[in-house]
């Protein structure tokens, strides 16, 4: 029972007698004080490390500032420039591609695997194996991804054994596609695990009844799995949206070499912010401009998350 | 209850005080003992070969002067940490990086101390000043717009064509001196079934360095930077620029690069070069040090300067300097200068040159055979800042416009007209947005 609930229960119980109510007041006040004492550090911390910097970034986005010399007022000029900056627009498109294409693949593959391995023996092992990339360091995985697919890498060596000419997986034209594929590989395990957790809660009798009724595998998925795991899937979709916005380490390590930034072809919104501030050998230190891009992306993804919540909202189904 | 509340509050207050107390001590670990300690944030990481030698020098310096060097091996991002500390005053007394970053980050933001006095200081145990030792050759790269020295160069990285003298013995008799000779050489190597050029094209820094060097050969030192700063972008559309760009279109068309150069991860192709699977590698003076761990047994590091466009044309060497700077907010700059006068003595410089294969600014030190070619190239030619200083002066343009275009060029995705048009259009747009 929470502090608030105990407070409410206490008040109701004491309601008939004025004396009892008077006696209860000091206890309520004391409980309130404890409540404030426990909650205050979290609120202060949240305000300091999240709300404060966000408000600060919004303020900085209206200035031209390199972090050292006094900031110069720019008003909305940073935002105007962003909408005409081809590098930002490309980063924005890349972010949306990662969100939509990556998301579609992750959820299709996730549902497929989840439905497929639901009844398999050794499914815990498969689940762990698929989850593994998510717990490994994205930096290490990006190196593995490069080693696998570079020209004289493992994949081309295996293809060579089959008599297939080596493919240029990591050429400038393909690098973004490979980065998105790698991102899917790294992230899919988490969403598969979340979806599996939701599907595990579905009582087997629903599947048994559906089978008796002659439902095909797709129909069982369409009429049993999907509706009964919808809540979990919608939470996973929102988590993926946030992850797609924040994606940084895998792209940075996969596309970059030593201390250089990855090519602009694979920049997403996070890499754009980094590229405009601390990235590359001689950092640009354009904090105002970078903040404006971060604020825009925050707004855009805020809208996307709200829309997603509305689109995915369903009446809860009692199992 | 009141007592327990009070106890809780007191505990929270004590914890807060403890936290404040922790954060109040200097994060650099300095004891605040003033002139007895020198705080040095290095661009090196602790596993690099220079570290044991420098550590020995620190001990010798302390024995000689009583000043302890409190070093932090910060790595290549050291200046970002220095700049972050400039607002709070938590900066080292001494730091180091290359001239592009020292200029772009420290000097251009007024955060580098004028080192003119240091240049007048006598080298420890020698009858010569640091300025006399270094000479004025590097002044264009070590002086800011105000004419003050913002850095003291230490080692230099000339960008040259590297080859294995044992693998391409014909080159030791005479390297190409103009572009026609270079093309002929590449054609001959290709005809022999070899891979003439090694390039890790995913390393856009290397793509840009090679293209920028050719452009500077064609238009002259300082003119590439001028072209980049032209808000109309028209400066790209000249016969000289076209000639330089055409060189790379031709090399890609002829298939001079090692197979897979556009779809490998650095240092895959560099490794192939070191193992004699490709012949020429355009890279900085660090190449022997970086590749010797995996080089072929017969590796004999040889180098030649990027040829002039035509015989007798410009042959200035693109050079990056690594060196030291003292932040304006350094607490103990005198100790930093004293240390540098100690470090620049012949003995420590010789040890660094020999054991780490680093070319230093002291040209009176004997160099190992692997560095002899680049020593000669630097001594016999003028120098200029690699990439014509574009990354230092307009870093954002370099990252978002110039580097991507040069990568597209060397990987054969652009014709000469397309490259020129792309640079004109994107540069014009860049300056419209950022001018």
């Amino acid at each position: 029972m929470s502090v608030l609930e105990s407070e409410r229960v206490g008040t109701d119980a004491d309601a008939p007698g004025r004396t009892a109510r008077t006696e209860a007041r000091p206890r309520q006040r004391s409980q309130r004080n404890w409540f404030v004492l426990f909650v205050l550090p979290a609120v202060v911390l949240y305000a300091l490390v999240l709300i404060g910097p966000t408000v600060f970034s919004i303020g900085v986005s209206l200035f031209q500032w390199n972090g050292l010399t006094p900031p110069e007022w720019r008003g909305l000029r940073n935002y105007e420039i962003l909408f005409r900056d081809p590098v930002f627009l490309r980063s924005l498109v890349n972010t949306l591609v990662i969100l939509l294409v990556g998301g579609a693949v992750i959820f299709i593959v996730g549902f497929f695997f989840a439905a497929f391995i639901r009844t398999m023996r050794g499914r815990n092992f498969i689940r762990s194996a698929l989850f593994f990339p998510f717990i490994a360091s994205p930096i290490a995985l990006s190196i593995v991804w490069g080693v696998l697919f570079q020209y004289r890498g493992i994949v081309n060596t295996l293809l060579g054994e089959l008599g297939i000419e080596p493919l240029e997986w990591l050429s400038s034209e393909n690098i973004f596609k490979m980065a998105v594929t790698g991102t899917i590989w790294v992230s899919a395990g988490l969403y598969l695990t979340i979806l599996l957790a939701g599907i595990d809660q579905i009582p087997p009798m629903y599947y048994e009844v559906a089978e008796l009724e002659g439902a095909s595998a797709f129909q069982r998925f369409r009429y049993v799995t999907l509706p009964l795991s919808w809540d979990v899937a919608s939470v996973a979709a929102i988590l993926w949206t946030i992850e797609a916005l924040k994606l940084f380490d895998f792209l940075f390590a996969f596309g970059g070499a030593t201390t250089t930034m990855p090519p602009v072809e694979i920049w997403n919104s996070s890499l754009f912010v980094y590229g405009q501030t601390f990235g590359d050998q001689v950092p640009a230190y354009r904090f105002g401009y970078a903040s404006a891009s971060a604020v825009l992306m925050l707004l855009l993804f805020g809208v996307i998350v709200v829309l997603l919540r509305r689109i995915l909202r369903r009446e809860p189904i009692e199992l | 209850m009141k007592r327990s509340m009070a106890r809780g509050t007191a505990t929270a207050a004590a914890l807060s005080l403890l936290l404040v107390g922790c954060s109040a001590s200097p994060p650099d670990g300095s004891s605040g003992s003033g002139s007895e300690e020198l705080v040095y944030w290095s661009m090196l990481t602790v596993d690099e070969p220079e570290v044991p030698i420098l550590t020995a020098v620190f001990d010798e310096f302390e024995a000689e002067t009583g000043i302890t060097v409190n070093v932090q091996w910060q790595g290549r991002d050291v200046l970002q940490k220095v700049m972050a500390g400039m607002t709070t005053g938590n900066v080292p007394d001494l730091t180091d990086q290359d001239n592009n970053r020292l200029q772009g980050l420290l000097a251009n933001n007024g955060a580098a101390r004028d080192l003119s006095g240091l240049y007048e200081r006598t080298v420890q145990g020698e009858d010569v000043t640091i300025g006399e030792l270094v000479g004025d050759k590097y002044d264009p790269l070590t002086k800011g717009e105000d004419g003050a020295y913002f850095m003291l160069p230490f080692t230099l990285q000339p960008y040259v064509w590297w080859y294995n003298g044992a693998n391409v013995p014909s080159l030791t008799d005479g390297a190409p001196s103009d572009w026609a000779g270079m093309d002929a050489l590449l054609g001959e190597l290709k005809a022999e079934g070899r891979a003439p050029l090694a390039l890790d094209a995913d390393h856009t820094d290397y793509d840009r360095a090679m293209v920028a060097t050719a452009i500077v050969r064609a238009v002259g030192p300082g003119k590439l930077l001028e072209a980049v700063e032209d808000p109309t972008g028209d400066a790209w559309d000249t016969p000289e620029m076209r000639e330089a760009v055409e060189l790379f279109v031709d090399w890609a068309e002829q298939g001079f690069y090692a197979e897979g150069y556009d779809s490998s991860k650095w240092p895959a192709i560099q490794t192939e070069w070191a193992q004699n699977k490709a012949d020429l590698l355009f890279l900085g003076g660090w190449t022997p040090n970086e590749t010797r761990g995996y080089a072929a047994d017969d590796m004999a590091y040889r180098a030649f300067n990027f040829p002039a466009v035509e015989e007798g044309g410009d042959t200035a060497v693109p050079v990056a300097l690594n060196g030291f700077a003292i932040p304006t907010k350094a607490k103990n700059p005198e100790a930093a200068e004293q240390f540098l006068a100690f470090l620049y003595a012949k003995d420590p410089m010789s040890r660094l040159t020999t054991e780490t294969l680093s070319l230093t600014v002291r040209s009176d030190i004997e160099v190992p055979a692997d560095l002899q070619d680049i020593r000669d190239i630097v001594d016999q030619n003028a120098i200029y800042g690699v990439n014509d200083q574009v990354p230092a002066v307009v870093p954002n343009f370099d990252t978002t416009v110039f580097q991507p275009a040069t990568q597209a060029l060397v990987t054969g995705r652009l014709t000469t007209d397309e490259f020129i048009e792309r640079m004109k259009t994107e540069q014009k747009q860049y300056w419209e947005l950022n001018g």
Side-chain angles (χ1 to χ4, degrees):
Chain A
M1 187 184 290
S2 72
V3 175
L4 282 177
E5 283 169 337
S6 66
E7 237 177 72
R8 197 165 55 240
V9 170
T11 306
D12 293 345
D14 298 339
R18 186 183 169 84
T19 313
R21 210 164 40 232
T22 314
E23 281 169 3
R25 270 183 195 147
R27 204 178 78 201
Q28 287 167 16
R29 269 203 299 275
S30 163
Q31 282 175 337
R32 249 187 236 115
N33 286 341
W34 276 107
F35 175 75
V36 169
L37 185 70
F38 278 111
V39 170
L40 196 63
V43 171
V44 169
L45 200 66
Y46 188 75
L48 279 177
V49 302
L50 201 79
I51 298 172
T54 305
V55 172
F56 183 70
S57 295
I58 294 169
V60 169
S61 74
L62 305 173
F63 290 85
Q64 181 172 331
W65 187 43
N66 65 4
L68 292 166
T69 50
E72 287 175 33
W73 174 256
R74 296 201 98 191
L76 296 176
R77 173 91 176 123
N78 283 334
Y79 291 91
E80 279 174 44
I81 294 173
L82 277 173
F83 286 110
R84 291 160 56 207
D85 183 344
V87 179
F88 173 73
L89 295 176
R90 179 190 287 232
S91 305
L92 174 62
V93 170
N94 285 351
T95 307
L96 293 175
V97 168
I98 292 169
L99 169 67
L100 299 173
V101 177
V105 174
I106 282 175
F107 281 87
I108 290 168
V109 171
F111 266 120
F112 177 78
F113 268 95
F116 184 68
I117 67 175
R118 186 179 59 83
T119 53
M120 277 178 66
R121 283 172 64 188
R123 68 199 191 111
N124 283 338
F125 171 76
I126 296 171
R127 190 195 308 225
S128 304
L130 291 168
F131 189 70
F132 178 75
F134 191 77
I135 54 173
S137 156
I139 307 286
L141 289 176
S142 71
I143 294 167
V144 171
W145 201 241
V147 169
L148 281 174
F149 286 98
Q150 67 174 333
Y151 192 76
R152 298 196 195 284
I154 295 165
V155 172
N156 274 349
T157 305
L158 291 175
L159 290 177
E161 296 293 321
L162 302 171
I164 300 170
E165 288 290 307
L167 300 172
E168 297 196 332
W169 302 98
L170 304 184
S171 69
S172 316
E173 282 115 342
N174 294 332
I175 190 86
F176 180 63
K177 291 172 213 159
M178 291 305 294
V180 175
T181 313
T183 304
I184 292 169
W185 170 54
V186 171
S187 308
L190 172 72
Y191 297 96
L192 172 64
T193 306
I194 294 174
L195 293 175
L196 259 177
I199 292 170
D200 279 349
Q201 301 305 312
I202 302 172
M205 66 175 181
Y206 289 105
Y207 290 101
E208 290 161 10
V209 170
E211 274 183 48
L212 285 173
E213 295 285 339
S216 65
F218 177 75
Q219 286 170 321
R220 288 200 296 276
F221 170 76
R222 170 73 181 82
Y223 295 107
V224 179
T225 308
L226 198 57
L228 295 182
S229 59
W230 190 262
D231 287 346
V232 173
S234 46
V235 169
I238 287 164
L239 286 178
W240 166 248
T241 306
I242 294 165
E243 192 187 331
L245 172 69
K246 293 181 0 187
L247 184 67
F248 178 81
D249 34 19
F250 184 88
L251 286 180
F252 183 76
F254 178 64
T258 59
T259 55
T260 59
M261 284 287 290
V264 286
E265 283 88 350
I266 71 164
W267 281 19
N268 68 345
S269 53
S270 299
L271 281 173
F272 181 84
V273 171
Y274 189 63
Q276 297 298 326
T277 50
F278 303 104
D280 226 332
Q281 297 187 351
V282 181
Y285 283 156
R286 301 172 79 195
F287 293 113
Y289 193 55
S291 295
S293 76
V295 170
L296 267 185
M297 296 308 294
L298 187 67
L299 285 175
L300 175 67
F301 274 69
V303 169
I304 292 174
V305 167
V306 170
L307 284 176
L308 263 179
R309 284 179 63 86
R310 285 191 174 280
I311 292 166
L312 298 175
R313 189 180 294 162
R314 292 282 188 282
E315 286 300 315
I317 298 171
E318 295 286 335
L319 291 175
Chain B
M1 179 64 75
K2 271 185 185 168
R3 222 163 59 190
S4 62
M5 274 286 289
R7 201 161 49 224
T9 312
T11 309
L15 278 170
S16 306
L17 283 173
L18 188 64
L19 285 169
V20 171
C22 286
S23 63
S25 63
D28 56 28
S30 64
S31 61
S33 55
S35 62
E36 295 305 311
E37 185 174 69
L38 161 64
V39 179
Y40 167 39
W41 290 2
S42 173
M43 67 180 281
L44 300 170
T45 51
V46 73
D47 54 348
E48 295 193 61
E50 290 87 351
V51 169
I53 300 163
L54 284 173
T55 305
V57 176
F58 299 153
D59 293 341
E60 291 161 16
F61 178 67
E62 184 173 2
E64 180 81 24
T65 63
I67 300 172
T68 307
V69 180
N70 177 358
V71 62
Q72 290 185 23
W73 308 107
Q74 297 271 10
R76 300 299 184 267
D77 291 338
V78 62
L79 291 189
Q80 297 177 24
K81 290 159 190 164
V82 174
M83 294 310 285
M86 285 301 288
T87 48
T88 59
N90 177 29
V91 293
D93 300 312
L94 182 67
T95 188
D96 59 340
Q97 244 302 348
D98 65 47
N99 60 296
N100 274 340
R101 280 183 259 210
L102 287 173
Q103 183 181 355
L105 287 174
L106 288 191
N108 290 352
N109 290 307
R113 183 182 161 92
D114 178 7
L115 300 184
S116 301
L118 173 63
Y119 277 69
E120 300 298 323
R121 203 179 259 268
T122 306
V123 175
Q124 178 87 14
E126 295 179 40
D127 192 20
V128 61
T129 66
I130 290 178
E132 286 166 344
L133 261 188
V134 174
D136 57 7
K137 185 166 195 159
Y138 308 108
D139 282 3
L141 305 183
T142 55
K143 281 184 168 178
E145 288 173 0
D146 56 358
Y149 286 107
F150 61 83
M151 75 177 285
L152 178 65
F154 185 58
T155 56
L156 49 133
Q157 310 289 356
Y159 281 68
V160 294
W161 285 107
W162 289 97
Y163 65 97
N164 178 359
N167 186 40
V168 200
S170 61
L171 268 174
T172 56
D173 299 333
S177 55
D178 58 21
W179 288 8
M182 185 75 180
D183 279 341
L185 169 69
L186 298 177
E188 283 165 24
L189 293 171
K190 179 78 180 170
E192 290 170 20
R194 305 162 69 117
L197 297 174
L199 173 68
D200 283 294
D202 66 312
H203 204 312
T204 51
D205 211 24
Y206 295 174
D207 305 331
R208 188 252 284 108
M210 192 166 66
V211 175
T213 303
I215 291 173
V216 172
R217 281 282 180 274
V219 300
K223 300 290 185 208
L224 170 60
L225 182 59
E226 273 180 29
V228 159
E229 290 180 320
D230 169 23
T232 68
D234 292 342
W236 284 94
D237 204 353
T238 65
E240 291 79 15
M241 285 283 190
R242 285 181 172 275
E243 188 174 12
V245 173
E246 186 65 38
L247 189 71
F248 296 100
V249 173
D250 185 49
W251 287 359
E253 275 177 9
Q254 302 269 350
F256 286 157
Y257 295 102
E259 213 179 330
Y261 78 108
D262 182 26
S263 57
S264 297
K265 294 298 291 176
W266 176 87
I269 304 296
Q270 177 179 307
T271 306
E272 288 189 10
W273 169 81
Q275 293 168 356
N276 292 337
K277 291 172 186 160
D279 296 327
L280 303 176
L281 175 74
F282 187 73
L283 213 56
W286 65 83
T287 304
N289 191 20
E290 188 169 274
T291 60
R292 61 180 166 173
Y294 48 80
D297 291 341
D298 67 350
M299 174 59 80
Y301 290 98
R302 300 297 306 270
F304 63 89
N305 196 5
F306 200 107
V309 180
E310 289 173 346
E311 194 72 43
D314 176 65
T315 57
V317 189
V319 164
L321 300 173
N322 286 339
F324 296 96
I326 300 176
T328 47
K329 290 193 176 175
K331 294 176 189 70
N332 200 356
E334 168 57 25
E337 293 199 359
Q338 210 176 331
F339 171 72
L340 291 175
F342 188 88
L343 178 66
Y344 275 60
K346 204 162 193 172
D347 179 51
M349 294 285 253
S350 297
R351 271 184 276 159
L352 275 160
T353 302
T354 311
E355 293 176 37
T356 69
L357 291 180
S358 301
L359 195 66
T360 70
V361 288
R362 280 197 73 145
S363 54
D364 60 339
I365 288 176
E366 199 174 324
V367 296
D370 291 339
L371 301 182
Q372 191 59 56
D373 279 345
I374 57 171
R375 176 85 270 167
D376 294 343
I377 290 168
V378 170
D379 289 347
Q380 291 163 13
N381 293 280
I383 60 111
Y384 70 95
V386 65
N387 304 309
D388 219 17
Q389 302 286 86
V390 171
V393 180
V394 276
N396 195 241
F397 172 86
D398 179 57
T399 306
T400 58
V401 177
F402 194 35
Q403 283 191 36
T406 55
Q407 189 193 37
L409 176 66
V410 299
T411 52
R413 286 185 285 140
L414 297 176
T415 64
T416 303
D417 285 341
E418 286 167 348
F419 179 84
I420 298 290
E421 193 53 41
R422 174 166 165 172
M423 287 308 300
K424 280 171 67 176
T425 310
E426 293 191 5
Q427 183 168 309
K428 188 175 175 209
Q429 189 173 29
Y430 179 86
W431 288 118
E432 277 172 9
L433 297 177
N434 301 288

